[in-house]
Amino acid sequence: MLRPSSISELAEAIGTARASGQRLELRGGGSKAGIGQQRETTILSMQGFAGVIDYDPPELVLTAGAATPLAEIEALLAAQGQMLAFDPYDHGRLFGSAEAATLGGVIAAGVSGSRRLSAGAVRDHFLGFRAVSGRGEAFIGGAKVVKNVTGYDLPKLMANSWGRLAALTEVTLKVLPRPRASATIVLPGLSDEAAILAMAQAMGSQAEVAAAAHVPAALCNPALTALRLEGFAPSVQARTQMLLALFKPQGPDVLLEADSAALWDGIRHAAPLAGEGTLWRINVPPTAGAQVTQPLAAMGAYWLYDWAGGLIWLQLPPGADGLAVRAAASAAGGHAVLVRGDGGGLPILHPESPGVAALSARVKAAFDPDGILDPHRFG
Amino acid sequence: MEMPAPDMAVMARRSEIIAALRAIIPGEGVISDPASLRPWESDGLTAYAQVPLVVALPENTAQVAAVLRWCNANGVKVVPRGSGTSLSGGALPLADGVLLGLSRLNQVLDIDYADRVAVVQPGVTNLAITQAVEERGFYYAPDPSSQIACSIGGNVAENSGGVHCLKYGLTTNNVLGVELVLIDGEIVRLGGRQLDPQGLDLLGIVIGSEGLLGVVTEVTVRILPRPETARAVLLGFPSVESAGQCVAEVIGAGIIPAGMEMMDRPAIHAAEAFVNVGYPLDVEALLIVELDGPSAECDYLIDEVAKIAAANGAVTSRVSTNEAERLSFWAGRKAAFPAVGRISPDYFCMDGTIPRRRLPDVLQRMEQLSLAYGLKVANVFHAGDGNLHPLILYDANKPGELAQAEAFGADILRLCVEVGGVLTGEHGVGVEKRDLMPAMFSETDLAHQERVKSAFDPGLLLNPGKVFPLLHRCAEMGRVHVHHGKLPFPELPRF
C-alpha cells in the first residue's frame, strides 16, 4: 500500500505508477472497497490528507482534507447548527463493516441520501478541490466561494467519478443551516403505484417536502409512505397541517420524532435490504418507479423507494440475473448501479450509449491518459 | 481586448460557406448581406463588436448537426448564440466564423407535472418556461435579470444565476438533462429525467462551458411549485459594515432567504432617481431581504430578520404588506443597471465573488482604485453569496477612458481573487475576463481544463477566443508555451 502524505509525494507516486504501467486504487476509509469487481491492485491510501482546513460557518463553506472522516465533519457541522444538506450516508453500514466513509470518498462516489430530492446531490454542494490527476500533476478546480462560474465546473466532473480522473486531496463544500424543526407524515398501506402518486402529489404541493420514501408491504406491513418536512417550527407546523388535509382520505399520521430519525436512517442506508444476494441502486424518473420493480417481483426481488420514487434500492436473490435489472432501468430511461454482491461479471456501473461512452473515455483520457486510476474495478 | 486574427483563407471562402449553409438550412435561415449582419455584431457586452462572417439560424437538431458537421469538416469556426444577452461577450461573433443562432428552436416540448420537469428547446426564454407552467402553480427557479429575453440554451452555456440562487441554486442545480450536438455532428443525450448521472457527470461540465464544448438543442429542467407567499423587508444601514454584519447574522441564525441584495450609496441614489420607489437616501447601504414559503414561515422569519437588523443598527426597516409593495422594493434593485446608465454615458458591470467577511475591506480598496483611476463606481451585490456587481462609470467617447475602465475592472477582479474569491460569479468569463484567468489558475490548472475542451472539440472550432487566455496553450498541444505568464516576445502585439 502506498501512503503519500504530501501533494508532492502523491504526484510522485502517481508519476511512478504511470511510468511503470502500474494501476492504482485510491482508498480513503475503505468503506466502499466491497464495491466493484474482484481485482488485484496496488492501494493508494489517501489517509495522509485528513483534517479540517477552514470552516467559517456564516460563509457556508467548509474546506477539509479529502480523507477526513465523514462522521467527524458531520459532528463539527452539527455543533454549529449546520449540515451537509445532500444527506450523505456511510457505505460501511451497507457492508456491515467497521470501515468508515471519508469526505473525499462520499464525493467521488456521489453519495447522496434522502434529502437529495429537495436539496440537491453532492455535486450541487461540491465547490472546489485540490487534486493530483492521473498525469501525476497537481491542479485545482472550482473555488472556495458559494457562487462561481470561472472556467469549467471541474468539481461536477470529479463528483461521482469514482476516483478515475484524479486523487482529491482537499475539498471545499457548501454547508447549510440544519433545520430547526422537522416532522414526518406517514400514509399507511398504500400500493407502490398509489404511493408514487401520493409522493408526486406531495412534491407538487406547497408543503416543500424535504424527503419522500415508500417501504412496500413486503418489507414493512402495513406499507409505509413517509413525507418529511423540515424548517422553522411555525413553518413545519403549517405544512404538516397542509399535508394532513391533502391526504385525509389516506388516513395520515404524524410520526414521533424519535421514530422518524430511525426510519430515515434506515431508508438512507437501505437497512431493510440487508440480506444475501445483490443490492442495486436504481435511478429513474420518479413516476417510473413501479414500472421498474414490477417485472422483477417474479424473480424474488425486494425493494424500497426514496426520492419520491426516483431512487429504488432493490435486492435480488443470489444467482438471479442482474441483466433484468439493467433492462428494467433502461426501459424507464434510467440506470442501475450494482452496489453489493456478486453480479456474475456484470460491470457495477450501467453501460452508457456508445456516443456518451466514447466521449466519457476521451474525457477520462484527458485526466488519466494511461489509465492508471482504473484498477479493473468498474468492468 | 483582442480577438484571434481572422483566418484569411476562410474569409476568402465566404461564398462557398454561405452556399453550403443554404443547402442545409432552407428559406430565410442564412443571413449574409452586410446590412442584415450588422445587428448581430454584439451581445450584451456592447463595448465589443464584430460583424460575423455569416449567421445561420437552424430550425431543428438535424440542421444544427449538419451545420456543425460541415464546419468541422471544413475547418470553419462556430460561435453559438442564444438571445445574445451575455454580459461577458460569450456570444461575440468572429469575422471568420459562423454565428449559430438557436432562437428558432423555441418550442416547449413536454411538461410533466408528476415528475416535475419541463423539456424545452434552447431558444425558449427563461421566463417562458415559468409562463408555460404557471397555470398549474409551478415555476422555473433561476431568474437572471434578463429573464424576459435570455434563452434557456444561453443559461445552460453560462450557468446563469439570478437573485434567488442563494436558496434555489444556479442553472446547473436545476437542469436534469440536455441533448447536445458535438462539433462532429454527433448527437448525444446527457442526463435525463432522473436525478443522478449515470457515469461521469458530463452534463455538469457542459453547463457553464460557455459554448465551447457543444451546442445544446434540448434542455430538461426541474420545475417547482410556486411558494405560497413571498414578502420582502427593506433595511437601511449607516455603514456597509453593519449591513454586512446583518447578512452574516441572518445566515448564522439558520435563515437562507430567497433573496438578499445589497446596494451602496451611489447605487441607491441612481436607482431612486430613476424609479422613485422610496428608497432611503440618507443611508450608506440598503438591504432587500426576501422570504418565501407558507405565510406562517414568512411572518416568523420577517420578524427574525427585522430583529437582527435592529440589533445591527438598521435605521430604516420597512416590511412589504402586499405584492405591489414587495415588487416596488425590487423595482429599484432590478433597475440598478439602467439607472446607472442614465447617469453615465457608459458603464461596465463587473461580477466577482468574494468571501462575504471581506466585503468592507474590498469596498474600501475599490474606493481607492476609483480615486486612482478617476472613474466612479456604484455597487450592487448578491449579499447572501458574496457576488459583487461593481458598475464602473465611463465615457467611451473620451479617448482612453474605455481602456482605463477595463484596467480598473481588471484590478477589481484581481482584488476579488486576492481575498479568496473568483473572477466571475454568474456572468461567465467570455472574452471579458479571459486574460485574467491566470490570476486564479496556474498553467497546469488551465491545461487540465483545456484538455476537457479538446476531448469535446479537438479542432478548437467551437467559440474560440473565449474563456481561455489567447496565448495560453500548453506545449504538448503544439502551441505557444507561456511560462509563468511571461511571453516569449512581450513587445509583440497579442493576436
Side-chain angles (χ1 to χ4, degrees):
Chain A
M1 185 185 283
L2 303 172
R3 297 177 178 278
S5 60
S6 67
I7 286 179
S8 58
E9 283 177 22
L10 175 62
E12 194 186 322
I14 292 177
T16 304
R18 200 180 165 194
S20 66
Q22 177 191 29
R23 295 193 173 209
L24 299 173
E25 178 167 347
L26 303 178
R27 181 166 297 178
S31 65
K32 300 168 193 67
I35 297 179
Q37 297 175 356
Q38 293 292 324
R39 57 215 182 254
E40 298 261 327
T41 48
T42 304
I43 304 295
L44 177 63
S45 169
M46 297 302 293
Q47 288 290 343
F49 301 91
V52 173
I53 293 162
D54 187 24
Y55 175 39
D56 186 356
E59 296 286 337
L60 302 177
V61 169
L62 173 134
T63 301
T68 312
L70 175 63
E72 181 184 328
I73 296 293
E74 294 200 307
L76 174 73
L77 294 172
Q80 297 292 330
Q82 295 191 329
M83 64 174 182
L84 296 172
F86 54 91
D87 205 14
Y89 57 94
D90 194 326
H91 277 83
R93 289 264 303 277
L94 257 75
F95 286 90
S97 73
E99 278 83 17
T102 61
L103 203 50
V106 159
I107 291 167
V111 182
S112 310
S114 303
R115 201 190 288 105
R116 190 259 182 269
L117 177 64
S118 58
V122 177
R123 73 189 291 276
D124 299 300
H125 299 84
F126 182 30
L127 301 174
F129 64 84
R130 284 184 183 283
V132 175
S133 69
R135 309 175 61 86
E137 294 168 354
F139 72 111
I140 64 165
K144 295 181 178 179
V145 290
V146 295
K147 196 168 170 195
N148 171 34
V149 296
T150 318
Y152 294 142
D153 195 350
L154 293 185
K156 294 280 182 303
L157 210 44
M158 295 299 144
N160 216 47
S161 70
W162 288 90
R164 289 175 294 164
L165 305 178
L168 300 172
T169 58
E170 179 191 299
V171 295
T172 296
L173 286 142
K174 180 180 180 181
V175 299
L176 282 171
R178 177 173 291 273
R180 301 309 200 245
S182 64
T184 297
I185 286 83
V186 290
L187 314 175
L190 298 184
S191 67
D192 287 16
E193 290 80 2
I196 285 168
L197 200 65
M199 291 190 285
Q201 208 182 342
M203 294 308 299
S205 78
Q206 291 174 324
E208 292 173 33
V209 173
H214 175 70
V215 188
L219 293 175
C220 160
N221 201 2
L224 190 75
T225 309
L227 305 169
R228 186 169 175 85
L229 301 176
E230 297 180 334
F232 290 91
S235 172
V236 170
Q237 283 156 17
R239 288 181 284 139
T240 299
Q241 294 311 315
M242 209 184 276
L243 286 184
L244 290 177
L246 183 64
F247 292 112
K248 201 168 175 198
Q250 285 94 334
D253 203 355
V254 181
L255 216 56
L256 293 174
E257 190 48 43
D259 296 341
S260 166
L263 172 71
W264 289 106
D265 187 68
I267 288 169
R268 217 170 43 185
H269 291 95
L273 301 171
E276 295 281 295
T278 51
L279 181 67
W280 298 79
R281 189 174 157 90
I282 308 169
N283 224 281
V284 290
T287 52
Q291 165 199 332
V292 173
T293 52
Q294 200 236 337
L296 303 171
M299 298 172 67
Y302 290 91
W303 61 84
L304 61 85
Y305 304 92
D306 204 344
W307 301 355
L311 173 66
I312 306 164
W313 284 104
L314 182 135
Q315 184 187 57
L316 275 189
D321 183 8
L323 277 176
V325 178
R326 287 263 151 87
S330 294
H335 51 89
V337 176
L338 173 59
V339 177
R340 191 175 64 203
D342 178 10
L346 283 183
I348 72 153
L349 301 178
H350 198 111
E352 295 166 311
S353 68
V356 174
L359 184 57
S360 291
R362 295 201 296 274
V363 171
K364 172 163 167 58
F367 290 87
D368 179 20
D370 301 319
I372 297 305
L373 302 178
D374 202 346
H376 302 294
R377 184 179 183 182
F378 305 99
Chain B
M1 203 284 299
E2 306 268 357
M3 288 305 282
D7 183 333
M8 289 307 166
V10 168
M11 307 218 7
R13 291 165 57 205
R14 186 168 182 269
S15 47
E16 175 206 335
I17 293 167
I18 292 165
L21 293 174
R22 290 227 158 97
I24 295 167
I25 306 171
E28 307 292 302
V30 178
I31 298 171
S32 62
D33 76 279
S36 307
L37 283 176
R38 181 67 65 182
W40 299 87
E41 67 180 4
S42 282
D43 60 13
L45 184 65
T46 49
Y48 307 129
Q50 170 61 57
V51 175
L53 185 70
V54 54
V55 173
L57 303 171
E59 294 172 294
N60 53 48
T61 302
Q63 289 178 4
V64 172
V67 169
L68 292 180
R69 196 178 305 119
W70 190 89
C71 288
N72 189 45
N74 289 276
V76 176
K77 297 165 190 159
V78 178
V79 176
R81 173 181 163 119
S83 298
T85 56
S86 169
L87 293 173
S88 58
L92 181 68
L94 293 168
D96 59 345
V98 174
L99 188 67
L100 185 66
L102 280 302
S103 55
R104 293 211 290 173
L105 278 79
N106 60 359
Q107 300 300 304
V108 174
L109 300 174
D110 188 27
I111 297 169
D112 186 334
Y113 291 104
D115 280 338
R116 299 170 305 285
V117 296
V119 183
V120 301
Q121 291 189 316
V124 172
T125 63
N126 173 291
L127 189 61
I129 300 178
T130 289
Q131 287 168 341
V133 299
E134 67 190 355
E135 59 170 2
R136 291 278 298 269
F138 282 78
Y139 77 117
Y140 173 63
D143 58 342
S145 305
S146 56
Q147 69 179 154
I148 187 171
C150 66
S151 69
I152 187 65
N155 288 181
V156 167
E158 300 292 327
N159 190 14
S160 309
V163 295
H164 291 101
C165 67
L166 178 66
K167 183 170 176 184
Y168 294 101
L170 301 162
T171 302
T172 189
N173 313 111
N174 291 276
V175 168
L176 293 178
V178 296
E179 177 185 75
L180 182 79
V181 185
L182 303 177
I183 187 68
D184 63 2
E186 177 156 14
I187 301 165
V188 294
R189 302 193 77 90
L190 307 176
R193 296 186 185 202
Q194 76 281 4
L195 289 180
D196 271 1
Q198 183 168 342
L200 289 180
D201 191 353
L202 299 180
L203 174 64
I205 199 84
V206 163
I207 298 175
S209 64
E210 306 197 20
L212 269 71
L213 300 184
V215 176
V216 168
T217 46
E218 186 189 297
V219 188
T220 301
V221 301
R222 285 187 101 175
I223 52 173
L224 296 173
R226 173 79 72 187
E228 186 184 307
T229 51
R231 294 177 72 191
V233 52
L234 190 69
L235 303 162
F237 291 88
S239 70
V240 168
E241 285 83 352
S242 54
Q245 186 58 29
C246 178
V247 170
E249 289 183 23
V250 166
I251 286 169
I255 303 167
I256 301 293
M260 187 148 55
E261 296 293 304
M262 197 190 295
M263 298 164 75
D264 73 355
R265 189 180 187 97
I268 300 166
H269 282 251
E272 180 59 22
F274 185 33
V275 291
N276 269 304
V277 286
Y279 283 174
L281 296 175
D282 56 347
V283 298
E284 291 299 319
L286 190 70
L287 269 186
I288 305 169
V289 184
E290 179 160 298
L291 287 313
D292 66 5
S295 45
E297 175 173 334
C298 290
D299 292 350
Y300 172 77
L301 291 180
I302 288 271
D303 278 358
E304 293 295 300
V305 169
K307 275 187 233 163
I308 293 168
N312 281 289
V315 292
T316 314
S317 181
R318 281 172 55 200
V319 178
S320 70
T321 51
N322 55 48
E323 189 61 5
E325 193 172 16
R326 181 183 75 87
L327 294 175
S328 80
F329 289 179
W330 281 110
R333 166 61 185 89
K334 291 200 168 180
F337 293 6
V340 166
R342 277 173 80 240
I343 60 172
S344 173
D346 299 283
Y347 68 90
F348 255 131
C349 172
M350 311 310 290
D351 173 47
T353 303
I354 57 167
R356 268 186 288 101
R357 61 184 173 225
R358 303 299 302 270
L359 182 60
D361 184 28
V362 167
L363 286 185
Q364 201 178 6
R365 288 179 58 189
M366 217 187 281
E367 183 138 1
Q368 288 162 3
L369 287 169
S370 169
L371 289 171
Y373 279 100
L375 294 173
K376 289 204 173 91
V377 60
N379 271 292
V380 296
F381 328 98
H382 302 303
D385 45 34
N387 187 194
L388 313 182
H389 290 316
L391 303 167
I392 299 171
L393 282 48
Y394 71 99
D395 183 349
N397 287 329
K398 289 188 188 160
E401 211 162 285
L402 169 63
Q404 281 291 95
E406 284 180 311
F408 183 9
D411 278 352
I412 290 175
L413 295 181
R414 281 191 206 96
L415 173 60
C416 290
V417 173
E418 184 197 315
V419 302
V422 300
L423 297 171
T424 171
E426 60 181 356
H427 293 172
V429 176
V431 293
E432 187 199 21
K433 288 157 289 235
R434 177 190 74 193
D435 296 320
L436 289 170
M437 288 288 272
M440 199 168 141
F441 296 113
S442 74
E443 192 182 323
T444 310
D445 300 335
L446 287 172
H448 277 84
Q449 296 192 29
E450 286 182 291
R451 284 189 209 95
V452 173
K453 163 72 171 170
S454 296
F456 279 80
D457 172 22
L460 309 182
L461 291 172
L462 267 173
N463 218 7
K466 316 287 169 67
V467 181
F468 297 109
L470 276 199
L471 278 170
H472 179 272
R473 292 283 184 259
C474 31
E476 100 248 12
M477 293 173 182
R479 293 182 178 80
V480 184
H481 184 92
V482 184
H483 185 63
H484 293 303
K486 291 192 181 67
L487 305 182
F489 302 101
E491 71 280 9
L492 294 180
R494 291 166 168 234
F495 290 116

